[in-house]
Amino acid sequence: MAKDVIIALDMPNRASVMSFLDRFGGEKPWVKIGMELFYAEGPEIVREIKRRGFHIFLDLKLCDIPNTVRGAMRSLRPLGVDIINLHAFGAAEMMRAAVEGLTDEDGGRETKLIAVTILTSTSEEALRREMLIDRPMADACIAYAENAKGAGLDGVVCSPLESPVIHGRCGEGFLTVTPGVRFAGGERGDQVRVTTPEKASALGSDYIVMGRPITGAADPVAAWERARAEFLGGNA
Ligand code: C5P
């Protein structure tokens, strides 16, 4: 899969999403559909956006017993999204079950499956005191990425700053899909560790996820074009 910019559609309903996507005319960016929109509108919103020709990362972060996740992935498979995710915290057996659920009768799999390692909202303090993980955050993230790779997943969601070490440990073909990206000199919002599209590219991110710097821009199409030009360089 070619590198690209994924726009996070953190919007509450169909009307706001469709008026946003209409602005792109014939252009068909990658978009990320998360829990907010999916739970409000159901799977039909995914079908509609796919029918309109957009590439879709369905960010539902599944985590449950293996049998339930296998069934959930089987239910989601017909949507034919490009990328879907789960929590590596659910452990290897659950991740293998998810791969099975996404695999069709002929043994093929249309949808890439990636794992969230540890949420970036988790502090070192919470990791140790509440989640009882007595290792530095970075080590835990890398270990979770290796578990995901071992279970047959295609990549992880991580910070661009973690892309080099994850590619080093899990292989260059293991996808790193990276949020926390901001234009130079732009608003950070609530993101703490931020990287520019150009820096994310230099660090080897396969996809960058950008929400508010594009959705909140006065001209979202121009912001998306700028993000692509900076991230893809001459290949935009
Ligand atoms: O608006 P912004 O660019 O911060 O949006 C980033 C998107 O990536 C949001 O949808 C957010 O939920 C998601 N995300 C993140 N950090 C993670 C995982 C997902 O910001 N570690």
Side-chain angles (χ1 to χ4, degrees):
M1 287 160 100
K3 289 180 172 236
D4 216 323
V5 173
I6 303 176
I7 305 173
L9 297 177
D10 291 319
M11 297 169 193
N13 54 42
R14 179 186 178 278
S16 47
V17 165
M18 292 307 161
S19 66
F20 176 77
L21 295 178
D22 282 345
R23 303 178 73 135
F24 286 83
E27 300 278 11
K28 302 294 176 193
W30 273 83
V31 296
K32 178 170 88 68
I33 298 174
M35 293 187 207
E36 181 182 5
L37 187 59
F38 190 83
Y39 288 146
E41 300 287 353
E44 187 50 31
I45 191 76
V46 180
R47 294 187 195 102
E48 185 174 2
I49 293 173
K50 180 162 167 94
R51 273 198 304 274
R52 292 181 57 166
F54 296 90
H55 297 283
I56 300 172
F57 167 21
L58 188 56
D59 179 19
L60 297 182
K61 299 189 177 72
L62 276 71
C63 193
D64 207 318
I65 60 170
N67 191 55
T68 300
V69 170
R70 183 188 294 106
M73 290 297 186
R74 205 175 279 141
S75 296
L76 292 166
R77 188 176 85 205
L79 294 176
V81 299
D82 299 275
I83 303 177
I84 198 164
N85 66 355
L86 48 60
H87 272 285
F89 187 75
E93 193 188 339
M94 184 204 78
M95 292 193 270
R96 284 193 295 271
V99 172
E100 284 169 21
L102 286 175
T103 303
D104 60 33
E105 298 70 25
D106 306 326
R109 182 158 57 83
E110 179 183 357
T111 301
K112 299 275 185 205
L113 179 61
I114 65 174
V116 174
T117 55
I118 293 170
L119 292 172
T120 45
S121 51
T122 308
S123 64
E124 293 270 359
E125 170 85 359
L127 194 71
R128 212 172 47 251
R129 286 193 194 279
E130 296 176 48
M131 297 166 73
L132 309 181
I133 297 172
D134 215 3
R135 295 174 68 170
M137 178 81 72
D139 291 3
C141 286
I142 293 163
Y144 278 26
E146 289 179 320
N147 290 346
K149 165 92 178 165
L153 270 67
D154 304 294
V156 286
V157 180
C158 63
S159 158
L161 302 168
E162 290 159 358
S163 290
V165 61
I166 288 176
H167 279 144
R169 297 282 279 268
C170 299
E172 288 302 321
F174 194 64
L175 301 174
T176 57
V177 178
T178 65
V181 178
R182 291 290 178 265
F183 292 119
E187 287 285 323
R188 284 175 171 227
D190 51 3
Q191 296 283 6
V192 180
R193 294 190 304 161
V194 298
T195 306
T196 63
E198 198 172 12
K199 180 88 191 298
S201 179
L203 290 166
S205 291
D206 294 288
Y207 292 87
I208 54 172
V209 177
M210 291 181 84
R212 291 160 291 180
I214 296 175
T215 56
D219 183 345
V221 179
W224 169 71
E225 284 168 346
R226 175 182 174 192
R228 290 193 90 224
E230 291 183 11
F231 183 58
L232 302 174
N235 304 317

